[in-house]
Amino acid sequence: MHPRPDREAERLSALHALGLLDTAPEAHFDAVCRLARTLFRVPYAWISLVDAERLWCKASSGITFGPTARDAAFCHRAILSDALLMVEDAADDPRFRDIALVTGPSGVRFYAGVPLVLRPGLALGTLCLGDTVPRRLSEAETAQLADLAAIVVAQLRHSEARIASETEARRRRASEEALAQANRNLRLAERMARIGHWRADLISGAVTWSDEVCRLHGRAPGDPAATLDESLAYYHPEDRPRILALVAEARERREGFSFRARIVRADGDIRVVVSHGICELDAAGAVAALFGSVQDVTEIDRAETELRASTALLDATLEHMDQGLMMIDEAGIVRVCNERAIALLDLPPDLMRSGPTFDDVRRHQIARGDFARCDDALRQQVAHEPLAGHPHTYERERPNGTVLEIRTVSLPTGGAVRTYTDITARKAADAQVAHMARHDGLTGLPNRALFRDSLDRRLSVVRRHGGTCGVLYLDLDAFKAVNDTFGHAAGDALLRAVAERIRAALRQEDLPARLGGDEFAVLLGGEADAASAAATAERLISSLREPVDLGGPRATVGVSIGIAVAPEHGSDSDLLLKRADLALYRAKSEGRNTHRLFAAAMDQAAQDRHRREIDLRLALRRGEFTLHYQPVVDLAGGRVAAVEALLRWNHPDRGPLGPAAFLSLAEETGLIVPLGEWVLNRALRDARALPPGMRMVVNVASAALRQDGLASALRAALAATGTPPESLELDIAEGAIPEETGRLADLADLGIGLALDDFGAGASSLGALRRLPFGRIKLDPALSACPEQADLLRAIVGLGRALGRDVIAKGVETPAQLAAVRAAGCTAAQGFWLGRPVPFGDLAPVLAGPVTRRGTRRSRSA
C-alpha cells in the first residue's frame, strides 16, 4: 500500500461531491489538455481525478486510458503535496519504472504533474504532462504549467460552488414547500425562490430573520438583529449608501428591489450576498414592511473571480509565449492568434482583428512572397493545399531570413492549433556545431577528425593509382614555458599566431591541422618526397622561429617536425602517423627546433621504450616499489609535523631508482594512475603507526586527479585502513589546477588536507589560490636554494599569510637555507638538512622528539 494524504477521507468526500467521476468529457477540461500538449510540445496531456482505489481520466489529449488502479499511476504520489511532481526519467525511477504507462505502448519516460488543490491539503487530482523521452521543465515552463492547473482548479471550484448552490437551493425549496401553507411569509418566500428570508416592519421597526439569515450574519439561529438600523449596519460601509438609496427608491415607488453587496460579520469574515426585496402594503396602499430573501454567493463570487483571473492569466500567457500560436476552428476561421504569431509572420493587425479565415491569411502571405524561399514541393503544399494536407511539422525560411519551425496539431472537433517557433539562432548554431566538429575552435584549422579523413582519402588514391603522400608531424618546443609564465590566455594567443604562420608557410594545396594541445600536422598536397617535405619543414621552422607578440610580452618558440612519406614509410594512416610521430620524437630528442625523416632505427628506439614500459608494468605487478618518508618539520616547535611519502623502485638489474628515472614514462603510459593508487594505499597503512596529530603527505599526479571517482576511491581507502581524513594531506602540483577545480572541492569535502606543491615554479593564479581549498602552500625548492631570492621568498610567505595559508619550504639542505626560510616566516620546512627520506621503519628516531638537523633530535636536557 502506497502512502495516502493525511486528510484522505475529507479529500474523497470533496471529490465525490463534485460529481465528476465516471462522467462524459467536458469541453473546457479537454481544451486545457490540448493547450498543455501544444504549449509544452509533449505527446500526452491529461487531467486525472484520484478516487479511493482508482484513477479516473477526466480529460486527455494524445493518450487514452480507462480507470486505472491508484497505486499503478504517477498521480497517487503527485497529490501527496501541493507542489509539482516532476519525474525526469521514469525508466530510472524505482517508484514508477514498472507501471503500465512506462512499460506499455505509451512508453512514458518523462512525467510532470501539478496537484489540483481545491483547498489547502485537498488535492483531488492532477494536471499531467507525459513524454516518451527524458526531459526537464524550465522555471518558466513550470510556472506556465501551474497557471494551467490554476485554470482547472477554478473550473472545479466553479462546479463545487454551483453544486453547493443548487443543493442548498433544492433543500431550501423543499423546506419552503413543506411550510408553504403554514403562513404568508413562507408562501412569499417560495414565490421568490429565496434561500434565507427576512422582514422589516416599518411601523414598529422590528426585524425578523430566518435561521439561515442569522447564520449568514454570523449569529446564532433565532438571534436576529433587533432593529433595521442594526441590520443595515452589517453591510460594508462602501456598499451601505447604495443599498439605502435602492430601498428608499423602492419604498417611494412601492416596487421591489435587488442588490449584491458585502456583509461584514462580527468575526471580520466578509460574505457576498444577493438580496431580493418587495414592499408590503397595508390596506391603504402605504408601505408597511419590507420582505425579502438573501442568498450567500461568496463561493460563487470567489469562483467567478478566480475564473476571470485564470482567463486573464491564460490570455497573458498566450501573449507572452515565445512561440506564435494560431487556432483555426472547423470552419477555417482563425479564432486565436497571439501577438508573437503576428510578429513572426509579419501579419497586419487589422487583418487578424477582423476574424479572417486561414485562407485569407495565406492569400496575404502569397501576395507578399512569404513562401519564396521554400523548395518547390513544400511551397506547393503549404501555399495551396488545405490545412489538413500540410506536414505536421516542417521548417521554412521567410524572406527576411527568419527560419520558422511550424507544428500543426489537429483538434478532435475539427480545425487545428498551429505554433510558430523562431529557430533562426538554433539553425545557425547547428551550422556552427557542424563546422566545429571538423575544425579546431581556437585556431580555425582542421581538427584531427578532418585531417584523418583527408589522409585516408589521399592514401586510398595512392594505393589504387600510385604516387606519393607526405605527412609532417609538428610539436612546439617551448609552449609549456609560455603557458606557465604568461598564463593560458597568452598560450591561446600563441597557438592562434602559430596557426597563422603555418598557413602562411604552406602552399594552397597543403592541409594544416591542429591535432590537440600544441601538436599540429600537415598533409602535403601533390606528389611529395623526402626533399620537398624537408623544404616545407625548413620553411615552417624558419617562420615559427620569429618572436610572437602576445599583446605586451614577446615569446619565442621553436618547432620540432617529424616527416613520413607514403608508400615508402607505410600505406595506411595509422602506420604513417605513427612513423611521423617517431620521427618527431627523434627531432625533439636531438635538440629540438629541427626536423627528422623517419628511419627504420626509430622503430627500434620505440621498441626499447616499449620494453621499459613492460618493465614498469611488471615492477608494479611484482611489488618492486617501496616508499621512503621524509619529515616535514614545524619551525616554531622544532618537531616533525608530517612525513611525505616518496616512491622508490628496486630495479632487479639497475638497483634502487628514484622517481626521476621512471615517473615521466609512467605519466606517458598512464601507469601513473595505478602506481599512485598503490602509493596511497601503502602510505595510509603506514600512517596508522604515526603519532596522533601527525600528517601523512602523498603526492597526486595530474592524471590521477583527472580520473572520475577519485574522491570515492579516497573515501574507500580511508575507511579500509581506518585512517582519519585529517591525517592525510595531498600535494597537488600547479599544472593540475586549472582544469580540476571541481574535483579539488570534492576532495576537500572529505576532510583531508590539500597543499599547493612547488609554488613559484610556474605561473600561479592568485585568484585560483584564493578560490581553491588549499590549506598549505609548498614552495618550489629553488626559492630555498638561492639567497638572491630572499625578497621574493618573503613576499610569497607574506602572500600565504594574507590568504590564511601555511607556507612550507622545500629543499632545505644547509643551515643558511634553514635560517633564511625561518626568517622569511615559513611555518614548516623539509630537506636533507632536516632529514633524508628513509624507510618507514627507520623513522622512529626522527619522530621521537625535536629535530635540530639531519635526522637528529635535541636532547632532553637541551
Side-chain angles (χ1 to χ4, degrees):
M1 175 67 70
H2 290 281
R4 294 289 194 264
D6 294 336
R7 297 160 61 191
E8 178 70 353
E10 184 180 355
R11 187 189 71 81
L12 291 173
S13 176
L15 173 62
H16 293 159
L18 290 177
L20 293 177
L21 293 173
D22 303 303
T23 58
E26 297 182 46
H28 47 276
F29 291 119
D30 290 338
V32 171
C33 290
R34 291 193 300 271
L35 181 57
R37 184 181 174 195
T38 302
L39 182 61
F40 297 97
R41 291 176 290 176
V42 295
Y44 313 133
W46 66 93
I47 296 172
S48 60
L49 301 175
V50 182
D51 202 353
E53 298 300 333
R54 62 167 182 159
L55 177 145
W56 170 256
C57 181
K58 177 59 183 171
S60 65
S61 179
I63 190 169
T64 303
F65 54 90
T68 303
R70 175 170 173 177
D71 292 341
F74 293 93
C75 306
H76 78 284
R77 288 190 179 271
I79 66 168
L80 295 179
S81 73
D82 294 349
L84 166 74
L85 171 65
M86 180 158 52
V87 181
E88 298 182 26
D89 190 350
D92 285 342
D93 194 320
R95 298 174 299 174
F96 306 113
R97 62 191 178 198
D98 296 325
I99 67 175
L101 276 181
V102 177
T103 62
S106 300
V108 173
R109 296 288 297 278
F110 163 79
Y111 170 84
V114 179
L116 302 176
V117 182
L118 188 67
R119 285 179 290 279
L122 296 182
L124 306 188
T126 53
L127 171 60
C128 311
L129 302 178
D131 206 337
T132 57
V133 295
R135 60 180 291 185
R136 180 176 180 82
L137 296 182
S138 66
E139 289 185 6
E141 289 174 324
T142 300
Q144 290 176 335
L145 183 57
D147 292 340
L148 289 179
I151 295 172
V152 178
V153 172
Q155 292 287 354
L156 296 177
R157 288 176 178 165
H158 184 71
S159 297
E160 181 187 47
R162 175 179 54 77
I163 292 171
S165 177
E166 292 172 354
T167 301
E168 182 65 16
R170 286 194 300 271
R171 187 185 69 80
R172 292 187 183 282
R173 279 197 300 270
S175 177
E176 289 161 3
E177 289 169 1
L179 298 175
Q181 300 304 314
N183 57 64
R184 180 170 171 271
N185 289 346
L186 293 183
R187 288 196 299 271
L188 290 173
E190 178 182 337
R191 175 181 140 201
M192 300 185 64
R194 47 199 168 275
I195 304 302
H197 62 271
W198 52 265
R199 187 175 185 278
D201 190 317
L202 299 180
I203 305 302
S204 66
V207 174
T208 302
W209 282 356
S210 69
D211 288 350
E212 183 61 28
V213 176
C214 290
R215 283 191 290 269
L216 188 151
H217 285 74
R219 302 177 73 133
D223 181 26
T227 65
L228 182 60
D229 287 341
E230 184 183 354
S231 177
L232 291 172
Y234 275 93
Y235 287 99
H236 195 286
E238 295 177 358
D239 297 341
R240 202 177 304 147
R242 173 172 56 85
I243 296 171
L244 291 173
L246 284 171
V247 172
E249 183 180 1
R251 291 180 62 183
E252 182 180 350
R253 296 185 178 183
R254 293 182 290 184
E255 296 177 345
F257 56 89
S258 298
F259 60 83
R260 178 186 287 243
R262 292 165 291 176
I263 287 178
V264 182
R265 303 201 302 197
D267 60 3
D269 187 22
I270 297 178
R271 311 298 295 176
V272 179
V273 300
V274 172
S275 186
H276 302 279
I278 60 174
C279 297
E280 287 186 28
L281 306 180
D282 59 15
V287 178
L290 300 176
F291 185 88
S293 67
V294 61
Q295 180 181 8
D296 185 349
V297 296
T298 306
E299 298 304 324
I300 295 175
D301 183 79
R302 183 176 299 148
E304 290 174 348
T305 300
E306 291 178 354
L307 184 58
R308 287 193 297 272
S310 297
T311 302
L313 183 61
L314 178 59
D315 291 340
T317 299
L318 290 175
E319 292 309 319
H320 291 85
M321 286 172 57
D322 188 51
Q323 293 175 307
L325 183 141
M326 189 181 294
M327 183 178 289
I328 303 98
D329 68 12
E330 62 275 12
I333 306 297
V334 178
R335 293 297 183 187
V336 177
C337 184
N338 66 359
E339 291 296 330
R340 182 61 173 160
I342 292 174
L344 286 175
L345 299 174
D346 195 19
L347 298 173
D350 291 341
L351 171 65
M352 303 315 297
R353 281 194 291 266
S354 67
T357 66
F358 181 73
D359 286 338
D360 292 335
V361 175
R362 187 161 53 180
R363 279 192 291 271
H364 170 81
Q365 292 177 300
I366 293 171
R368 297 189 56 176
D370 211 62
F371 305 106
R373 296 194 178 186
C374 298
D375 62 64
D376 291 340
L378 181 61
R379 180 167 58 250
Q380 178 64 31
Q381 190 173 22
V382 301
H384 301 292
E385 291 188 12
L387 180 61
H390 290 196
H392 290 299
T393 302
Y394 67 93
E395 298 173 3
R396 71 176 177 88
E397 184 178 356
R398 295 197 62 245
N400 63 2
T402 300
V403 181
L404 297 178
E405 180 187 72
I406 301 171
R407 292 177 177 266
T408 305
V409 178
S410 299
L411 300 176
T413 56
V417 173
R418 172 167 276 197
T419 58
Y420 302 86
T421 306
D422 184 351
I423 60 171
T424 309
R426 191 182 80 195
K427 297 296 284 186
D430 289 345
Q432 179 66 18
V433 167
H435 176 83
M436 291 173 62
R438 306 277 284 176
H439 291 78
D440 175 50
L442 179 64
T443 64
L445 291 177
N447 63 10
R448 182 184 294 273
L450 180 52
F451 180 83
R452 182 60 179 264
D453 287 348
S454 301
L455 178 57
D456 286 340
R457 288 195 301 271
R458 185 65 178 280
L459 288 174
S460 178
V461 172
V462 170
R463 287 192 296 269
R464 286 198 309 269
H465 305 293
T468 61
C469 170
V471 172
L472 276 62
Y473 214 129
L474 291 71
D475 187 83
L476 302 184
D477 289 333
F479 175 72
K480 186 177 186 304
V482 173
N483 224 22
D484 290 345
T485 304
F486 301 116
H488 290 288
D492 289 347
L494 175 62
L495 290 173
R496 285 191 290 267
V498 165
E500 287 301 319
R501 292 190 184 183
I502 290 175
R503 284 193 190 96
L506 297 177
R507 301 166 300 173
Q508 186 173 359
E509 61 266 31
D510 298 332
L511 176 71
R514 182 185 177 210
L515 304 184
D518 60 343
E519 294 183 355
F520 297 83
V522 176
L523 174 59
L524 297 175
E527 294 297 319
D529 56 22
S532 62
T536 302
E538 290 290 350
R539 289 199 307 274
L540 290 168
I541 292 170
S542 177
S543 175
L544 297 180
R545 186 182 289 120
E546 296 300 320
V548 177
D549 187 351
L550 300 178
R554 293 170 64 82
T556 300
V557 295
V559 63
S560 298
I561 302 176
I563 304 170
V565 178
E568 179 183 355
H569 300 142
S571 296
D572 69 84
S573 300
D574 288 335
L575 183 58
L576 201 63
L577 288 174
K578 175 186 175 183
R579 289 181 167 175
D581 189 28
L582 289 174
L584 169 64
Y585 187 81
R586 178 60 59 88
K588 294 179 74 71
S589 65
E590 292 185 357
R592 301 175 181 259
N593 210 29
T594 186
H595 63 85
R596 289 292 181 268
L597 179 69
F598 172 76
M602 297 178 186
D603 265 338
Q604 183 60 47
Q607 292 174 13
D608 292 342
R609 180 179 176 278
H610 181 61
R611 280 194 295 273
R612 292 198 303 274
E613 179 184 346
I614 292 174
D615 279 352
L616 192 59
R617 291 183 185 278
L618 289 174
L620 186 59
R621 189 182 308 165
R622 295 169 178 169
E624 295 175 0
F625 291 100
T626 60
L627 290 182
H628 285 199
Y629 295 90
Q630 184 174 38
V632 180
V633 178
D634 174 44
L635 294 181
R639 294 181 176 272
V640 176
V643 292
E644 179 175 353
L646 300 172
L647 187 60
R648 298 292 185 267
W649 180 6
N650 294 322
H651 195 284
D653 299 323
R654 301 166 60 190
L657 299 177
F662 57 86
L663 278 189
S664 61
L665 181 60
E667 290 175 349
E668 292 174 14
T669 58
L671 288 171
I672 192 69
V673 175
L675 193 55
E677 292 175 358
W678 180 89
V679 170
L680 178 65
N681 285 288
R682 177 71 264 176
L684 287 177
R685 286 197 297 270
D686 288 343
R688 292 179 296 186
L690 289 176
M694 188 171 294
R695 305 187 311 276
M696 172 62 72
V697 181
V698 178
N699 289 275
V700 177
S702 59
L705 192 61
R706 288 192 297 269
Q707 293 290 309
D708 292 332
L710 176 60
S712 298
L714 273 170
R715 185 184 294 108
L718 289 167
T721 58
T723 305
E726 61 271 15
S727 298
L728 176 63
E729 179 172 281
L730 301 182
D731 278 4
I732 299 172
E734 292 183 58
I737 293 174
E739 59 181 347
E740 302 302 338
T741 56
R743 288 194 171 93
L744 293 182
D746 294 339
L747 296 178
D749 289 343
L750 296 177
I752 64 177
L754 298 179
L756 177 58
D757 200 15
D758 289 337
F759 185 81
S764 299
S765 165
L766 177 58
L769 190 59
R770 295 178 61 187
R771 183 179 70 255
L772 299 177
F774 288 110
R776 295 177 177 82
I777 299 172
K778 302 188 78 171
L779 302 180
D780 181 59
L783 293 172
S784 304
C786 185
E788 292 79 2
Q789 300 196 78
D791 291 341
L792 177 58
L793 179 61
R794 284 192 295 272
I796 293 177
V797 172
L799 171 64
R801 186 182 299 114
L803 296 176
R805 310 289 198 266
D806 290 339
V807 180
I808 300 173
K810 295 174 61 176
V812 176
E813 299 186 357
T814 66
Q817 291 173 359
L818 178 61
V821 299
R822 190 191 299 275
C826 291
T827 55
Q830 68 184 99
F832 284 0
W833 180 254
L834 297 168
R836 290 179 175 273
V838 295
F840 190 80
D842 297 340
L843 276 177
V846 180
L847 305 180
V851 175
T852 56
R853 60 183 181 85
R854 300 185 187 176
T856 66
R857 55 189 178 90
R858 190 176 296 126
S859 67
R860 295 187 181 274
S861 59

